[in-house]
Amino acid sequence: MSQTTNTGARYAFDSSGPESFAQYARLERHLDQTTATRLAPPVLTAGMTCWEVGAGGGSIARLMSRIVGPSGLVIATDLDTSHMTRWDGVTELNNVTVMRHNVLNGPVKGGPFDLIHARLLLVHLPTPTEVLRELANALAPGGWLVIEEYEMTDPRSPLLAVPPGGDVALFDEVLAAIADELTRHGADLGWGRRVHQTMLAEGLLDVDSIVHRESWSGDPTGNMLYDINSRQLQPQMEAAGLPAKRLDEFRCMIRDPRFAALSYEFVSTRGRAPRKAEQS
Ligand SMILES: C[S@@+](CC[C@H](N)C(=O)[O-])C[C@H]1O[C@@H](n2cnc3c(N)ncnc32)[C@H](O)[C@@H]1O
């Protein structure tokens, strides 16, 4: 089941459903390299205390664990921590604490933090600005906040190549239906490009943003994220009037190796709290 937050908004995806494994694995393959670059020193270094919020499959919590080493600590939280208890047969790494926690209830205990990272989380929340403020307030002096989101308001079709007879309108229709479904669950699809301004407004320094986008070629195994999302949200999209047959046709088209489309636009923004000497 998708999970209800304390404001009544529900996270759109079923994090315990059969497709969730494919979703987390695909996100990690798409994004971990970019995230690792964004967390390079001085953002993440040995001995830090870190909070990985909405940790999902936990790949970034594991990265943090390796870098902070035995003198550091990583707290990895999520509404559903079951994906992290299956880490290669290891329940917990020595310097990682895994906790069920709803970020809408405020910061987890264990701060202040030298680094707080949240990827593809705030976009799904009804109050991303307020949550960002709470995360910023949970930083230690000089600590980093890294917020990474998909931005989904670009009106241009991401299509790059269509196989002969491919239905361009169907592709755009299904992507719009996925976006509608996320919005219906409270996601703010333009939030990714507002993070930078919001960090500045919270008084963070050295704020910078980068955008990552890549081509996704037709994947016969069904592991393209558009394919996975269409399966995850199929019952809701059918209820909203999109026939199952059309979704099957969509998946048939995007599994053709001659198909290609741009990924969702990934915006990574980071900023740091003022150090003691910089505080007014
Ligand atoms: C799209 S997944 C991203 C997972 C991971 N951050 C990644 O990028 O690979 C979003 C995650 O946020 C979690 N989540 C959603 N709402 C949350 C909330 N209110 N508090 C904590 N975690 C939440 C979900 O359970 C899910 O694991």
Side-chain angles (χ1 to χ4, degrees), residues 3 5-6 10-13 15 23-25 27-28 31-32 35 52-60 77-81 83 101-105 117-121 123-126 148 150 266:
Q3 305 215 19
T5 64
N6 63 351
R10 288 190 319 140
Y11 175 54
F13 296 109
S15 48
Q23 183 195 22
Y24 289 136
L27 291 177
E28 290 172 6
L31 301 173
D32 278 5
T35 297
E52 170 67 354
V53 198
S59 61
I60 300 305
T77 60
D78 202 292
L79 284 179
D80 176 353
T81 56
H83 290 267
H101 173 262
N102 183 345
V103 72
L104 292 172
N105 291 337
H117 172 255
R119 190 171 76 185
L120 308 180
L121 169 62
V123 66
H124 292 289
L125 304 178
E148 304 186 293
Y150 280 141
F266 181 66

Side-chain angles (χ1 to χ4, degrees), residues 23-258:
Q23 183 195 22
Y24 289 136
R26 191 66 190 85
L27 291 177
E28 290 172 6
R29 189 148 63 90
H30 177 214
L31 301 173
D32 278 5
Q33 204 180 333
T34 304
T35 297
T37 306
R38 300 290 287 164
L39 298 185
V43 177
L44 175 62
T45 57
M48 280 187 166
T49 299
C50 306
W51 179 17
E52 170 67 354
V53 198
S59 61
I60 300 305
R62 289 196 301 266
L63 168 81
M64 289 172 169
S65 165
R66 283 195 298 277
I67 307 283
V68 301
S71 59
L73 175 68
V74 179
I75 299 179
T77 60
D78 202 292
L79 284 179
D80 176 353
T81 56
S82 58
H83 290 267
M84 283 180 281
T85 54
R86 296 192 192 103
W87 290 355
D88 308 317
V90 179
T91 308
E92 279 193 22
L93 305 177
N94 284 340
N95 58 358
V96 182
T97 302
V98 175
M99 286 173 58
R100 274 189 67 145
H101 173 262
N102 183 345
V103 72
L104 292 172
N105 291 337
V108 73
K109 288 198 176 72
F113 297 97
D114 302 306
L115 169 62
I116 301 176
H117 172 255
R119 190 171 76 185
L120 308 180
L121 169 62
L122 272 62
V123 66
H124 292 289
L125 304 178
T127 52
T129 304
E130 289 74 7
V131 171
L132 188 149
R133 176 174 305 131
E134 291 189 329
L135 298 181
N137 288 338
L139 291 171
W144 287 89
L145 178 61
V146 182
I147 302 290
E148 304 186 293
E149 307 286 8
Y150 280 141
E151 215 278 350
M152 296 169 66
T153 58
D154 187 345
R156 292 167 300 177
S157 171
L159 266 177
L160 294 174
V162 190
D167 187 340
V168 172
L170 174 62
F171 178 76
D172 292 336
E173 183 186 348
V174 174
L175 256 59
I178 291 172
D180 284 350
E181 198 48 45
L182 296 177
T183 305
R184 208 174 60 75
H185 279 87
D188 177 349
L189 305 182
W191 158 251
R193 288 196 192 188
R194 293 206 312 279
V195 174
H196 194 116
Q197 172 71 52
T198 310
M199 282 196 187
L200 290 173
E202 291 307 323
L204 297 186
L205 304 177
D206 295 338
V207 178
D208 81 318
S209 297
I210 59 118
V211 171
H212 172 73
R213 235 178 154 178
E214 64 190 31
S215 61
W216 285 339
S217 294
D219 183 345
T221 66
N223 260 326
M224 192 191 297
L225 196 59
Y226 297 139
D227 200 316
I228 297 166
N229 288 168
S230 80
R231 299 197 301 271
Q232 291 179 296
L233 300 175
Q234 174 148 349
Q236 298 94 312
M237 290 197 287
E238 277 189 57
L242 193 58
K245 184 170 169 295
R246 296 288 281 161
L247 287 164
D248 287 342
E249 288 166 2
F250 165 80
R251 288 191 283 261
C252 181
M253 174 170 60
I254 70 172
R255 289 177 189 186
D256 187 316
R258 294 167 294 180

